């Protein structure tokens, strides 16, 4: 670990001690909001404190083993314990370095998943359906809940557009790297010549904010339309204008909700998603100003960026943001086994952040 990273580590350790004192202060305990925020910060620093304690024990073990080496009868045993202690210290050094990577406070939260067909006509809609099914199956493996907010089915299957809310602890931390353009190369079912076609779909991952009620939206900035639901939902579907479409005029953001039975419920869900999108747009603007050169724009929603190619003839999937990230396991990945991709992207992000911290 570099001296600069070690200094940052020591500063965080001091901050945890300060938080421990603050959380014992009756004035802080009486302030519910402040106590909650400080408790959350204290909990986030707990893994770091545990690792530092283990490092201290490993250093003590190393010192004891080195002292024991002076005894000729114990020299052989001492060498074994020295090797074990040094290996443990190297492992802890790596773990502590990763704990320095700033945690995104939204990582543990829920998200909105938006999948839209891009270039490629019917084949793009089918691919959008494949992508949504891939994420839904991954969510099922994780024990998360998927709630479809609105959908516009393709004429021959799949989806022209589908929006869902994914509810589950850590959902955003796992899927935040999925935003962007996904490209597929395969022979469409309608292609009689057996030619490979290329089409695309876009994915946007938008975190659900904890305190979106703090966003003030001028009612004059909203255009609200009602229409009849087109998805599954019981006898009321296609009989009443219960679905809601809200357009935020200053930004052009459009959200829909059509899964509830009443206009009021659909409007409430649509407004919640609109506020989340407005928060995300502001975050993107700030992030662009602060870190234009980042290789992995976490949760950026940049749909013009081609991030991944799914090649069916070769059973290959390639993520273009990471050199050498090509897997020949397309079937299992589309069936929801996304962990090999997600783990590698998380590792790349951590490496980038550590390099940035070292340079600062």
């Amino acid at each position: 670990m570099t001296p600069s990273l070690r200094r940052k580590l020591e500063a965080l350790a001091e901050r945890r001690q300060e938080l421990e004192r603050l959380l014992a202060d009756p004035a802080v305990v009486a302030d519910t909001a402040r106590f909650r925020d400080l408790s959350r910060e204290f909990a986030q620093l707990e893994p770091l404190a545990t690792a530092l304690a283990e490092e201290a024990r490993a250093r003590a073990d190393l010192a004891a083993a080195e002292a024991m080496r002076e005894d000729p009868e114990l020299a052989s045993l001492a060498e074994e314990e020295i090797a074990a202690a040094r290996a443990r210290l190297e492992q802890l050094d790596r773990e502590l370095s990763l704990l320095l990577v700033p945690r995104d406070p939204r990582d543990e939260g829920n998200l909105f998943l938006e999948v839209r067909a891009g270039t490629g006509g019917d084949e793009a809609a089918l691919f959008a359906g494949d992508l949504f099914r891939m994420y839904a199956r991954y969510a099922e493996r994780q024990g998360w809940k998927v709630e479809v907010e609105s959908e516009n089915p393709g004429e021959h299957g799949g989806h022209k557009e589908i929006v869902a809310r994914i509810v589950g602890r850590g959902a955003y931390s796992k899927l935040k790297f999925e935003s962007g353009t996904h490209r597929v190369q395969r022979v469409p079912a309608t292609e009689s010549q057996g030619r490979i076609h290329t089409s695309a779909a876009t994915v946007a991952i938008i975190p659900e904010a904890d305190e979106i009620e703090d966003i003030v939206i001028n009612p004059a900035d909203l255009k609200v339309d009602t229409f009849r639901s087109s998805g599954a939902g019981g006898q009321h579907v296609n009989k009443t204008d219960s679905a809601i479409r809200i357009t935020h005029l200053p930004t052009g953001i459009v959200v829909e909700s059509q899964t509830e039975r009443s206009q009021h419920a659909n409007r409430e869900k649509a407004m919640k998603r609109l506020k989340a999108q407005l928060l995300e747009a502001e975050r993107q603007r700030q992030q662009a100003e602060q870190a234009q050169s980042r290789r992995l724009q976490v949760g950026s929603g940049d749909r013009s960026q081609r991030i991944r190619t799914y090649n069916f003839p070769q059973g290959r999937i390639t993520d273009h943001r990471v050199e050498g990230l090509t897997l020949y396991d397309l079937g299992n990945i589309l069936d929801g086994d996304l962990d090999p991709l997600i783990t590698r992207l998380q590792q790349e992000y951590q490496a980038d952040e550590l390099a940035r911290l070292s340079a600062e």
Side-chain angles (χ1 to χ4, degrees):
M1 184 183 299
T2 64
S4 63
L5 291 181
R6 176 59 65 173
R7 286 193 295 272
K8 289 182 173 67
L9 193 64
E10 292 169 354
L12 288 174
E14 291 174 3
R15 173 59 178 167
R16 185 179 180 278
Q17 292 176 352
E18 180 187 8
L19 288 170
E20 196 167 19
R21 291 192 298 270
L22 288 170
L23 290 171
D25 186 339
V28 172
V29 175
D31 187 339
T32 305
R34 190 182 181 204
F35 183 78
R36 182 193 63 229
D37 292 341
L38 293 178
S39 297
R40 183 179 301 173
E41 185 182 356
F42 183 82
Q44 289 174 350
L45 291 175
E46 186 63 28
L48 183 142
T50 301
L52 281 174
E54 290 186 20
E55 183 187 49
R57 285 193 293 269
R59 290 189 187 280
D61 291 343
L62 177 60
E66 287 176 338
M68 190 170 61
R69 188 165 51 183
E70 302 300 322
D71 187 336
E73 295 183 1
L74 299 176
S76 178
L77 177 62
E79 291 298 333
E80 292 180 8
E81 294 192 6
I82 288 171
R86 285 176 176 169
R88 179 58 178 152
L89 282 170
E90 288 182 7
Q91 179 186 353
L92 286 167
D93 190 76
R94 290 192 294 270
E95 291 178 7
L96 285 165
S97 295
L98 291 178
L99 288 171
L100 284 172
V101 174
R103 282 183 58 84
D104 189 331
R106 303 164 303 170
D107 273 353
E108 294 302 307
N110 308 325
L111 60 91
F112 293 106
L113 165 68
E114 301 181 355
V115 184
R116 293 179 174 84
T119 56
D122 291 337
E123 174 63 13
L126 291 170
F127 179 51
D130 292 339
L131 287 177
F132 178 76
R133 186 162 50 252
M134 175 181 76
Y135 293 125
R137 288 178 176 172
Y138 180 71
E140 182 182 354
R141 290 171 182 244
Q142 301 298 312
W144 301 335
K145 184 178 179 182
V146 178
E147 303 172 347
V148 174
E149 297 270 314
S150 64
E151 58 182 316
N152 184 3
E155 295 178 4
H156 299 283
H159 296 283
K160 293 180 181 178
E161 174 184 302
I162 184 165
V163 178
R165 178 173 177 252
I166 297 183
V167 181
R169 184 172 182 179
Y172 184 70
S173 69
K174 295 282 190 179
L175 294 178
K176 63 184 178 182
F177 299 105
E178 295 301 302
S179 291
T181 298
H182 297 240
R183 183 178 67 171
V184 64
Q185 296 171 328
R186 64 183 174 187
V187 179
T190 55
E191 173 56 61
S192 58
Q193 303 290 327
R195 293 173 297 189
I196 297 174
H197 284 221
T198 298
S199 56
T202 62
V203 173
I205 302 294
I206 301 170
E208 182 183 66
D210 288 336
E211 300 178 353
I212 57 178
E213 67 272 8
D214 291 342
I215 292 185
V216 177
I217 298 178
N218 186 345
D221 291 337
L222 301 179
K223 178 186 176 186
V224 181
D225 299 307
T226 59
F227 60 99
R228 294 189 178 182
S229 303
S230 59
Q235 296 180 354
H236 73 290
V237 172
N238 292 323
K239 292 184 179 180
T240 61
D241 291 341
S242 60
I244 291 288
R245 180 185 298 112
I246 300 177
T247 303
H248 186 247
L249 299 176
T251 61
I253 293 175
V254 180
V255 294
E256 293 181 359
S257 181
Q258 56 179 288
T259 56
E260 302 299 323
R261 291 180 177 273
S262 70
Q263 281 189 20
H264 176 76
N266 279 321
R267 183 187 177 98
E268 184 177 347
K269 292 180 73 173
M271 284 297 295
K272 188 173 184 179
R273 188 151 61 88
L274 174 61
K275 290 178 179 180
Q277 292 218 32
L278 290 172
L279 270 180
E280 179 66 2
E282 176 60 21
R283 191 196 65 82
Q284 287 179 38
R285 185 190 65 78
Q286 294 176 358
Q287 185 185 62
E289 292 177 353
Q290 296 169 1
Q292 295 182 0
S293 61
R294 291 202 183 180
R295 206 158 43 94
L296 291 174
Q297 291 293 325
V298 180
S300 66
D302 181 0
R303 305 172 199 192
S304 65
Q305 178 192 22
R306 186 191 70 189
I307 64 168
R308 194 174 295 154
T309 295
Y310 304 72
N311 185 293
F312 275 70
Q314 298 178 17
R316 168 174 57 83
I317 184 167
T318 300
D319 196 292
H320 303 289
R321 296 166 293 179
V322 179
E323 184 177 358
L325 183 44
T326 295
L327 302 174
Y328 289 87
D329 195 20
L330 183 57
N332 284 329
I333 289 172
L334 286 174
D335 196 42
D337 186 13
L338 283 170
D339 280 331
L341 277 172
I342 289 171
T343 300
R344 181 67 183 279
L345 289 167
Q346 289 176 328
Q347 290 171 346
E348 290 291 321
Y349 171 70
Q350 290 170 345
D352 285 352
E353 287 297 290
L354 281 175
R356 182 180 62 82
L357 287 170
S358 298
E360 288 180 349

